[in-house]
């Protein structure tokens, strides 16, 4: 195994896969290091016990914990390790990372998401800034992801539709559940635009990848057909086929080493047997997800980097982003609908694939200023039967047993279908949401773990409640019963960004506009860490697109082979 290469990539998810493919196709020798195993379609079973109850695809939280800081009612911060706190920031420890387990909801950011501060103005106690690039700089890479990863959908005109360089998606929409057309009609009556949801799931086969099998198990589960646009299935396998990309699974990067001039000279990592190895490269790319990338940089101290690599301005780990928003849900009871409609509700397999974007900008407040809102997606409640059943064991008077429990279970699973609205809005960056190294807790390799403070800006909840209520109103209009809606201050741990924001000024950013470190010019960061603000959508499509953009910058930096 070679100990040197042109480019070493640490992490193989949405930030690593595009760079591995683009550089390998350009003839550069690439080595991808990932701490998880190299799995294939045959390893992904629709097994809720393995995937959901025993966390088969993520590390043991006793061997690889984080610690999490949460605020008490008294305004103090308490710290707990994740193995006994209910928190888990690992999102798929295997080649391809969390893209193996995503739902594949792919939304572009809007042009004004790149200029959030200029468009909507400052928000007190939020570190909102404009991006150093524009949507026009980015659009071609969104388009490239559609083709390279495989995005299915249908482009339609609506108020907040983004400019596109191609007329439509390269793959037709995945099959739509009859409820999609119910939502179209209801939204039309309400004066809203119901638009098809783009999905990073193949509706038709491509190469060695099959199309979707519509078995109801998607988000949170690996794809057994290769239809889901994971980094592994759509990009890394093609990179390996070029002969210029080598993947080293089960290898844990421990630090980047730098010399007395500050130049990075190699990566230290533990191999599968626990032996400490080293690899050197002309350029290094970090793509470990926002929390672990920040941790690796903070661990990588050196003569010119006493506080961690590229951290002289103390911004590495700061401005951690998750996703804001809320949710609403209700049940469509078969008995409440005519026979034909009840039969449509019973259809199992196809996605709803409907999104409402009319609330992406909210009406002006009492000062005449518009506010940034978000989107709402319609999905079915998870098919994970154990998780759903577990939520039914408590009643008004404590635990439910015997016939009463059996009756609740029968009603829940047989009398109707549950529909959920997921609302996405900006998670505002603040001084109280960041990553640092824990001074006491270490992982199985003896490395300090990441301590994650999850401070919340109250504006997140305001917008989340608003969007969730709007989703609930649509569900009620459709005929759903027992409709509830809520917003939560707890972040969705599978959506991480920030920690190494990019910008033009080295005093206020970690990376330049090409996501190259200001203080370590041979290092790039290509996961969601670069994002100063997150927009009102899942991050994956934007991370994929930015990684292709960085790949072009690295090729220009090294010179085309």
């Amino acid at each position: 195994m070679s100990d040197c290469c042109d480019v070493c990539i640490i992490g193989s998810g949405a930030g690593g896969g595009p760079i591995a493919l683009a550089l390998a196709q350009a003839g550069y020798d690439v080595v991808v290091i990932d701490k998880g195993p190299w799995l294939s379609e045959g390893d992904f079973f629709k097994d809720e016990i393995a995937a959901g109850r025993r966390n088969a695809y993520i590390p043991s939280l006793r061997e690889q914990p984080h610690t999490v800081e949460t605020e008490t009612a008294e305004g103090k911060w308490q710290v707990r390790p994740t193995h006994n706190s209910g928190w888990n920031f690992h999102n798929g420890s295997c080649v391809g990372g969390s893209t193996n387990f995503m739902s594949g909801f792919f939304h572009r950011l809007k042009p004004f998401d790149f200029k959030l501060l200029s468009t909507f103005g400052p928000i007190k106690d939020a570190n909102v800034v404009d991006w150093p690039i524009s949507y026009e700089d980015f659009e071609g890479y969104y388009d490239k992801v559609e083709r390279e990863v495989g995005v299915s959908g249908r482009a339609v005109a609506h108020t907040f539709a983004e400019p596109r360089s191609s007329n439509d998606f390269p793959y037709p929409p995945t099959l739509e559940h009859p409820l999609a057309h119910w939502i179209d009609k209801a939204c039309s009556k309400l004066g809203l635009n119901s638009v098809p949801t783009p999905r990073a799931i193949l509706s038709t086969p491509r190469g060695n990848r099959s199309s979707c099998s519509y078995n109801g198990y998607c988000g949170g589960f690996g794809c057994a057909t290769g239809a889901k646009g994971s980094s592994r299935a759509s990009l890394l396998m093609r990179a390996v086929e070029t002969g210029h990309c080598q993947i080293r699974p089960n290898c844990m990067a421990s630090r980047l080493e730098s010399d007395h001039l500050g130049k990075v000279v190699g990566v230290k990592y533990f191999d599968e047997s626990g032996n400490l190895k080293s690899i050197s490269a002309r350029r290094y790319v970090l793509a470990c997800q926002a929390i672990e990338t920040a941790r690796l940089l903070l661990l990588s101290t050196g003569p010119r980097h006493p506080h961690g690599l590229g951290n002289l301005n103390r911004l590495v780990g700061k401005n951690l982003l998750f996703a804001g928003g809320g949710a609403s849900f209700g049940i469509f009871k078969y008995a409440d609908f005519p026979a034909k409609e009840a039969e449509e509700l019973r259809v199992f397999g196809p996605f709803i694939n409907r999104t409402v974007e009319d609330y992406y900008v909210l009406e002006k407040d009492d000062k005449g200023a518009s506010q940034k809102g978000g989107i709402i997606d319609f999905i079915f409640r998870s098919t994970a039967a154990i998780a759903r059943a577990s939520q039914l064991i408590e009643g008004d008077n404590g635990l439910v047993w015997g016939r009463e429990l059996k009756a609740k279970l029968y009603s829940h699973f047989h009398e109707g279908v549950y529909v959920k609205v997921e609302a996405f809005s900006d998670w505002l960056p603040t001084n109280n949401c960041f990553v640092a190294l824990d001074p006491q807790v270490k992982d199985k390799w003896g490395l300090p773990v990441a301590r994650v403070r999850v401070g919340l800006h109250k504006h997140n909840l305001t917008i989340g409640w608003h969007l969730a209520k709007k989703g609930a109103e649509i569900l009620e209009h459709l005929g759903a019963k027992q409709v509830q809606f809520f917003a939560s201050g707890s972040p969705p741990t599978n959506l991480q960004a920030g920690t190494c924001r990019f910008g033009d000024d080295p005093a206020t950013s970690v990376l330049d506009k090409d996501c190259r470190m200001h203080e370590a010019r041979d290092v790039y960061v290509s996961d969601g860490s670069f994002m100063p603000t997150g927009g009102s959508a899942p991050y994956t499509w934007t991370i994929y697109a930015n990684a292709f953009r960085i790949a072009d910058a690295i090729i220009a930096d090294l010179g085309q082979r």
Side-chain angles (χ1 to χ4, degrees):
M1 218 177 250
S2 174
D3 290 319
C4 60
C5 59
D6 289 319
V7 179
C8 177
I9 303 172
I10 306 171
S12 59
I19 296 178
L21 176 63
L23 294 179
Q25 288 178 335
Y28 293 100
D29 292 324
V30 179
V31 172
V32 180
I33 295 174
D34 196 285
K35 72 176 180 180
W38 192 349
L39 305 177
S40 64
E41 276 68 31
D43 296 304
F44 294 124
F45 301 97
K46 307 307 182 187
D47 183 345
E48 184 188 351
I49 293 177
R53 314 302 291 180
R54 296 178 180 167
N55 296 323
Y57 304 112
I58 63 173
S60 162
L61 292 181
R62 291 196 174 272
E63 294 184 344
Q64 299 182 51
H66 296 98
T67 56
V68 59
E69 281 188 283
T70 54
E71 192 172 13
T72 66
E74 294 76 27
K76 298 181 179 180
W77 294 94
Q78 61 181 5
V79 182
R80 295 178 65 188
T82 49
H83 69 77
N84 64 4
S85 68
W87 292 85
N88 189 345
F89 295 100
H90 293 294
N91 296 302
S93 182
C94 55
V95 173
S98 60
T99 60
N100 287 296
F101 310 104
M102 65 181 178
S103 298
F105 292 95
F106 267 33
H107 297 288
R108 299 186 181 200
L109 298 188
K110 312 298 183 186
F112 52 73
D113 280 316
F114 292 74
K115 305 294 179 186
L116 204 62
L117 179 61
S118 299
T119 304
F120 297 100
I123 296 176
K124 185 180 179 182
D125 298 325
N127 303 326
V128 179
V129 296
D130 290 341
W131 289 31
I133 60 175
S134 68
Y135 177 84
E136 290 70 27
D137 299 321
F138 222 80
E139 195 283 329
Y141 294 103
Y142 276 134
D143 190 72
K144 186 171 185 175
V145 173
E146 293 181 8
R147 292 177 276 109
E148 296 288 351
V149 174
V151 180
S152 302
R154 185 171 68 253
V156 298
H158 61 91
T159 304
F160 292 110
E162 317 85 15
R164 293 179 54 89
S165 55
S166 56
N167 293 328
D168 211 340
F169 290 89
Y171 298 90
T174 53
L175 294 180
E176 296 176 348
H177 192 276
L179 259 174
H181 307 292
W182 293 26
I183 294 170
D184 291 341
K185 293 178 181 178
C187 286
S188 178
K189 291 181 180 179
L190 293 171
L192 303 172
N193 296 286
S194 170
V195 299
T197 307
R199 301 293 291 270
I201 299 173
L202 294 181
S203 56
T204 57
R206 172 189 178 181
N208 295 325
R209 297 169 61 194
S210 299
S211 55
C212 185
S213 59
Y214 303 104
N215 58 25
Y217 289 84
C218 191
F221 292 87
C223 183
T225 68
K228 188 183 295 185
S230 70
S231 172
R232 175 193 53 81
S234 64
L235 304 175
L236 290 172
M237 299 308 298
R238 294 159 59 198
V240 171
E241 289 171 359
T242 67
H244 291 285
C245 179
Q246 178 189 121
I247 295 177
R248 298 186 185 180
N250 300 305
C251 292
M252 172 65 180
S254 62
R255 61 182 284 114
L256 282 77
E257 294 200 308
S258 55
D259 62 18
H260 67 286
L261 297 176
K263 177 180 174 59
V264 175
V265 295
V267 176
K268 292 287 188 181
Y269 67 94
F270 293 95
D271 67 10
E272 186 171 6
S273 301
N275 300 313
L276 189 61
K277 299 288 186 69
S278 179
I279 183 172
S280 61
R282 298 169 65 192
R283 298 293 182 270
Y284 303 87
V285 179
L286 274 61
C288 316
Q289 281 203 320
I291 290 173
E292 286 296 298
T293 285
R295 175 198 180 199
L296 182 57
L297 289 170
L298 293 172
L299 288 170
S300 301
T301 56
R304 291 293 184 93
H305 305 286
H307 308 297
L309 189 66
N311 194 33
L312 288 178
N313 59 12
R314 305 297 184 92
L315 287 178
V316 170
K318 305 301 183 183
N319 298 303
L320 172 64
L321 302 173
F322 294 102
S328 46
F329 57 90
I331 181 173
F332 291 80
K333 291 192 172 183
Y334 304 134
D336 293 339
F337 296 89
K340 180 184 177 184
E341 293 181 354
E343 195 63 27
E344 289 181 344
L345 288 173
R346 293 178 187 274
V347 172
F348 180 81
F351 306 112
I352 298 178
N353 276 3
R354 282 300 182 270
T355 299
V356 172
E357 298 189 3
D358 294 75
Y359 307 113
Y360 210 87
V361 175
L362 303 181
E363 58 272 10
K364 294 182 178 180
D365 59 20
D366 54 4
K367 297 181 181 178
S370 298
Q371 293 188 80
K372 174 71 186 301
I375 62 172
I376 55 178
D377 284 324
F378 291 85
I379 63 173
F380 288 113
R381 192 168 180 176
S382 170
T383 50
I386 299 173
R388 291 171 60 178
S390 299
Q391 297 172 0
L392 303 176
I393 63 175
E394 290 191 18
D396 295 335
N397 299 312
L399 291 179
V400 179
W401 298 88
R403 292 180 179 177
E404 182 183 356
L405 177 59
K406 290 172 69 174
K408 286 185 69 175
L409 290 169
Y410 184 88
S411 174
H412 181 86
F413 287 101
H414 291 279
E415 294 182 356
V417 59
Y418 287 84
V419 175
K420 181 181 178 182
V421 170
E422 288 189 342
F424 293 93
S425 62
D426 288 78
W427 179 280
L428 295 179
T430 73
N431 292 336
N432 275 322
C433 196
F434 60 82
V435 177
L437 294 180
D438 192 280
Q440 297 177 321
V441 182
K442 296 183 179 181
D443 64 16
K444 69 174 185 177
W445 294 283
L447 302 172
V449 304
R451 176 180 285 188
V452 184
R453 178 176 285 194
V454 289
L456 172 77
H457 196 290
K458 62 182 181 181
H459 190 73
N460 299 4
L461 288 174
T462 300
I463 303 300
W465 277 105
H466 181 86
L467 295 173
K469 182 180 179 182
K470 294 297 183 182
E473 291 171 356
I474 298 174
L475 290 176
E476 290 175 338
H477 190 83
L478 287 164
K481 299 295 176 60
Q482 301 173 27
V483 175
Q484 301 178 50
F485 63 95
F486 64 92
S488 172
S490 296
T493 57
N494 61 319
L495 297 173
Q496 304 173 13
T499 73
C500 294
R501 60 168 46 176
F502 73 160
D504 293 323
D505 185 355
T508 58
S509 58
V510 177
L511 313 171
D512 69 13
K513 67 179 182 181
D514 290 329
C515 295
R516 191 177 190 179
M517 297 197 78
H518 290 301
E519 299 171 17
R521 301 300 288 166
D522 36 12
V523 178
Y524 293 78
V525 175
S526 64
D527 55 28
S529 302
F530 82 98
M531 301 175 73
T533 53
S536 297
Y539 304 140
T540 312
W541 195 355
T542 298
I543 296 172
Y544 265 136
N546 190 58
F548 276 117
R549 189 180 71 89
I550 294 172
D552 283 351
I554 295 174
I555 291 172
D557 176 25
L558 294 177
Q560 181 72 46
R561 283 264 174 139

